[in-house]
Each structure stands twice: as C-alpha cells, then as structure tokens.
Amino acid sequence: MKDGPDIALLGALIGNPARANMLTALMSGKALTASELAAEAGVTLQTASTHLAKLEHGGLVRQRKQGRHRYFALADDDVGGLLEGMMGLAVRKGHLRARTGPRDPALRKARVCYNHLAGELGVRLFDSLRRRGFLADDDGALALTAAGADFVRDFGLDPDALRDPRRALCRPCLDWSARRSHLAGALGTALLDRIYDLGWARRQEGTRVVDFTRRGEAAFNAAFPAD
Amino acid sequence: MKDGPDIALLGALIGNPARANMLTALMSGKALTASELAAEAGVTLQTASTHLAKLEHGGLVRQRKQGRHRYFALADDDVGGLLEGMMGLAVRKGHLRARTGPRDPALRKARVCYNHLAGELGVRLFDSLRRRGFLADDDGALALTAAGADFVRDFGLDPDALRDPRRALCRPCLDWSARRSHLAGALGTALLDRIYDLGWARRQEGTRVVDFTRRGEAAFNAAFPAD
DNA sequence: TTCATAGTTCGATCATAATCGAACCATCGA
DNA sequence: TCGATGGTTCGATTATGATCGAACTATGAA
C-alpha cells in the first residue's frame, strides 16, 4: 500500500511479447489497423483486439475509426520517447532479438522514431541546429530562435503554423543507437515530413528504416552540416 | 522473428508488482538487503530472492556481498533514468497507486532520483547552473564550463576528482513531477552529497523525500537562485 | 564446535492472463 | 437487402510464472 506512480502497470503492458511487437511496429509512426498489428505480432485478430483494448485503456495507444477500419497509433510523443528509452537500455543490456539482420546498420544510420528522424542523421540534424543557434534553451525548455525560424522558413515550412498549445514545438528525444539526443516535437515531425516531400528520402516498407537517396543525403549534409 | 532491441524483456521485469516495488524502493539510491527488499515488496524472502536474481540477470540491479548480507542497488544511472521516465508517464496517464498520501507534495518539492536531486528544487538547481553558464551544451552532451568548475570548487567539491571515464559528469534526467530536466551524472550525485554534508537537508527514512531544513533551504536558494 | 542469521534452491501449488474458436456487431459494396 | 470484410466479445483451454514451505549453503558470533 504505497503511493506514487505505478510503473508496474506500464511495465506489464509493455512486457507482453505480442504487445511489445505491436508497440515496436507503431514506432514507425504510421497508424496501423488491428489486422496489420495482429500480423506484426504473430497472433490472431481476436487476441490482437484484446491487446489493443488493454493498450488503449492504459493510455499507450489511441484509435481512430475510419469506415470499417480502426487505425491504431501511439497515444502521444511521450509514449514514443519511453519506448525509445527502453530500446536504448535493452541494447546496452544486450537484450536483443534473435536475429540481428542486415537492416541493423541502416537502422543506426537513419530511422523514424515514431514521427521524427532518429539515428546518426537525426542526431546530426539536432546538433547542427543547435550549434548554429537555431535552437536554444529557454528556461529549461528547448525553443526555436528568431534565426531558427528564418531557417525553418527557408527550408519550406511555416514555423508559426507549427505552434500548437497542446504540443511542444521542440523537444529532445534520447536516441537508442547513438545515446545522444535528436529532435522530437512538432518541428521534428515537420522537418522529417519536409525531407520526404523534398524527395531526399523515403520510408522502407515495413521497417523503421529511412532510406536516403544519394542526392538526398548530399542535400541533407549541406542543409545540416556536421560542423 | 524480428531483430532490434527487445523491450518486452525489460517490460516484463518491471511489470511484476513485487519487482516494481523493489525497483521503486531502490530509486532511493540506498543499497538495500534482500530482506529489506522483501519487506518492501510484501513477499517472503524466498520469492524476493528469485525476483532479485531475475533483476540482476536482466541487468537492472547489481549486488554487492558484504559479510552475510547482500546489498542490492540499481545497476547504473540509466536504469534510474528509465524508471523515472516510466514514473513520469505513469503520472500523466493516471496510473497511480491507491493512496496518494500527504507525502506527495514533499515528493514533488524535493526527492532523490536514485542518487541525485529531483523535484522542484532539483529542477531549480539545474536551471540555475545552466542560466549562469556553468553548464553548456558541448556537441550534444552536457559539459561543465570553466566558470562552472570554479563554482563547483567554491561549493566545496573537486571537479577534477569527479571525472570518471566510465560515467558522464553531467547528464540531464527528465523529472516525473515537473516534466523538466534536472541534473544527473557524477556531478549531480556529488552536489546532493555535498548538500547533505552541509547539513542543508537530509533523507526522510524509508522514502525518497529529501527534507530541507529552514536554513538549508534558504542557503540552497541563495546558492542556486531562480533568476 | 555449535547455534543463529542471511540467503538460495527445489518442488508443488495456485492464480493470472494469453490464446483461439465461435458467435456476434458494424460498415461497405452491389 | 444481402453477402463480404474488419473488428469485438465470450467462453474454454492452456501455459506461464508467482508464491511459499522445506531443505540446503554460507557467514558470523560465542
């Protein structure tokens, strides 16, 4: 009979392999249907449905009905951040799945972290923005500077349109492979979307890998120089 | 048959109520014996022993034999950080234990986060150090500046002695109650120890609460002004 | 030695929750 | 209206793991 936050509930939700598989799949940022998640987790649709109900009840997942489909997604950035954090600890403690395939280096280089860019390139982007003074600490939180807003505009985005009282504009997110922060929040999401729109990269189907084209990577390096 | 980090193992370890209680107890930063942890979790010594073996095997806990006692502690700062992160999400999602007692406000004000100061005062300390330029971003990581080293020396600590290649000197840690970062790492630990030594505060037995004396809090406010 | 305390290991029991077949509900297309 | 597809709910089965008594090991004290 203690008080305080109960981490056992969260742990139990994530601790089931089928649910962990679903959550990992949702880290791709794409909303998936119950059937897709069932296939991803290797269970039938019935069991997937009960798992999803539990995840939703626990606040880890939210669903959006669309016709006769139900699309499931992570509830918010916080959930993505926690999962990324757990992945980081799992890697450091050696808790890896059986087969570490050829995708692994690609994952370390560039992948989506729920809805923003992670991996080496994600970290580079974040560092580059900070070093050039586009992001600054504002009383403990991360803020976009005036110069940063100009940069974002030049990049083809409207910084004012990104502001949303319910969501942080810029938020650091700890990267599991690099052990460094990359950029989350509305700006992180928008920058990744813009990178897709510019044709610099696209998602590898069914994985978290972000494939940059040769020209796209060169353009990325020019836009976000390492130093 | 996927690759990548397996968060289910971690989740399952944390997802058991008895183990979650033990881990929460160890967030106090004190090393505890198996018997103490058994009492804390409300199970017999036998079951506690099996739980602790699992936690150790999973890399969340390490043990140190001392005579016929075995002292258990969290394996490292990373584990503490993850648990703090889970507590934060648990609070935001409303996963609280039954009774939220009178200790709660005290916990929000000042508590230990494994081995460093968290809560409002922890956040204030961190912000104060950063605003005065004592901590700065060094290529994505947090570094102690020259001015910061002077400050630390004035505070009665030897900054050079704190450097340890195996451990970060300064690391941000997300605070569950304030949703802002406070200071972890070797410096965070040392500062809290120094605060104890100075007699400004002491640990409330059996809880994570850090009790500041009236004079201690005044001295803390003077040393780490809010602005 | 001998006894006491701290902790582990084993084995049996028990509770929980994951699983899936089957039936049911909802939406879409024709 | 009717079938087809996507999803949920129900019930029975099953597997996993938490639990503790009992026996055992290890350290310390007398």
Side-chain angles (χ1 to χ4, degrees):
Chain A
M1 282 307 164
K2 303 278 171 81
D3 51 20
D6 193 350
I7 59 178
L9 288 171
L10 278 181
L13 278 176
I14 302 169
N16 174 276
R19 286 193 293 260
N21 281 336
M22 294 180 179
L23 291 170
T24 304
L26 291 175
M27 280 293 280
S28 72
K30 245 179 67 174
L32 298 172
T33 65
S35 310
E36 290 170 320
L37 288 167
E40 197 73 35
V43 294
T44 61
L45 181 56
Q46 302 96 290
T47 60
S49 180
T50 65
H51 283 312
L52 288 167
K54 289 181 186 184
L55 288 174
E56 190 179 14
H57 187 75
L60 297 188
V61 147
R62 75 188 143 72
Q63 74 169 282
R64 180 168 43 89
K65 292 184 205 184
Q66 186 165 317
R68 58 184 158 178
H69 291 277
R70 298 201 172 185
Y71 284 93
F72 290 86
L74 298 188
D76 50 49
D77 289 14
D78 287 347
V79 176
L82 175 65
L83 294 177
E84 181 83 2
M86 290 185 78
M87 289 183 188
L89 197 62
V91 166
R92 274 168 256 141
K93 300 297 182 185
H95 300 314
L96 297 176
R97 297 248 176 85
R99 186 176 55 83
T100 295
R103 283 214 313 263
D104 200 44
L107 274 177
R108 287 177 184 280
K109 180 164 185 187
R111 66 177 182 281
V112 287
C113 175
Y114 182 35
N115 53 17
H116 52 268
L117 186 65
E120 290 166 26
L121 295 188
V123 170
R124 165 122 39 94
L125 184 150
F126 187 48
D127 287 349
S128 184
L129 292 181
R130 289 217 291 193
R131 198 165 6 71
R132 288 186 281 170
F134 295 163
L135 299 176
D137 286 320
D138 173 22
D139 193 25
L142 207 57
L144 187 66
T145 63
D150 289 340
F151 173 85
V152 167
R153 244 183 301 273
D154 284 345
F155 198 63
L157 295 168
D158 178 1
D160 299 317
L162 295 176
R163 298 190 191 278
D164 175 347
R166 290 162 311 178
R167 190 179 172 196
L169 180 62
C170 312
R171 205 170 53 75
C173 180
L174 196 61
D175 198 285
W176 71 249
S177 54
R179 278 203 82 165
R180 297 260 302 272
S181 286
H182 56 246
L183 180 65
L187 180 60
T189 304
L191 285 175
L192 179 58
D193 287 343
R194 180 68 179 148
I195 285 170
Y196 293 145
D197 285 346
L198 288 167
W200 291 1
R202 61 163 175 270
R203 291 287 311 285
Q204 195 178 94
E205 196 63 38
T207 76
R208 291 176 68 189
V209 173
V210 174
D211 274 324
F212 275 76
T213 66
R214 195 148 314 192
R215 300 181 55 146
E217 188 168 349
F220 180 91
N221 288 333
F224 306 102
D227 61 6
Chain B
M1 281 304 168
K2 303 280 171 77
D3 52 20
D6 192 351
I7 59 178
L9 289 171
L10 279 181
L13 278 176
I14 302 170
N16 174 276
R19 286 194 293 261
N21 281 337
M22 293 180 178
L23 291 170
T24 303
L26 290 175
M27 281 293 280
S28 72
K30 246 178 66 173
L32 299 171
T33 65
S35 310
E36 290 170 321
L37 288 166
E40 198 72 37
V43 294
T44 62
L45 181 56
Q46 302 98 290
T47 60
S49 179
T50 65
H51 283 312
L52 287 167
K54 289 181 186 183
L55 288 174
E56 190 179 14
H57 187 75
L60 297 188
V61 147
R62 74 189 143 72
Q63 73 168 287
R64 179 168 44 89
K65 293 184 207 188
Q66 187 165 314
R68 59 181 156 180
H69 292 277
R70 302 205 168 178
Y71 284 92
F72 290 86
L74 297 188
D76 50 48
D77 289 14
D78 287 346
V79 176
L82 176 66
L83 294 177
E84 181 83 2
M86 291 185 76
M87 289 182 189
L89 197 61
V91 166
R92 272 168 258 142
K93 300 298 183 187
H95 300 313
L96 297 176
R97 298 246 176 86
R99 187 176 54 84
T100 295
R103 283 214 313 264
D104 201 44
L107 274 176
R108 288 177 184 277
K109 180 166 187 187
R111 66 177 182 279
V112 287
C113 175
Y114 182 34
N115 54 17
H116 52 268
L117 186 65
E120 289 165 27
L121 295 189
V123 170
R124 166 123 38 95
L125 183 150
F126 188 47
D127 287 348
S128 183
L129 292 180
R130 288 216 293 191
R131 198 166 4 73
R132 287 186 281 170
F134 296 162
L135 299 176
D137 287 320
D138 174 23
D139 194 23
L142 208 57
L144 187 66
T145 62
D150 289 340
F151 174 84
V152 168
R153 245 183 300 274
D154 284 346
F155 198 63
L157 295 168
D158 178 2
D160 299 318
L162 293 176
R163 296 188 192 278
D164 176 348
R166 290 164 312 179
R167 189 177 174 198
L169 180 63
C170 312
R171 205 170 54 75
C173 179
L174 196 61
D175 198 284
W176 70 249
S177 54
R179 278 205 81 167
R180 298 261 301 272
S181 287
H182 56 244
L183 181 65
L187 180 59
T189 304
L191 286 175
L192 179 57
D193 287 342
R194 181 66 178 148
I195 284 170
Y196 293 145
D197 285 345
L198 288 168
W200 291 1
R202 62 164 175 270
R203 291 289 310 286
Q204 195 178 93
E205 196 63 38
T207 76
R208 292 176 66 189
V209 173
V210 174
D211 273 326
F212 276 76
T213 65
R214 195 148 314 193
R215 301 181 54 146
E217 187 168 348
F220 180 91
N221 287 334
F224 306 102
D227 61 8

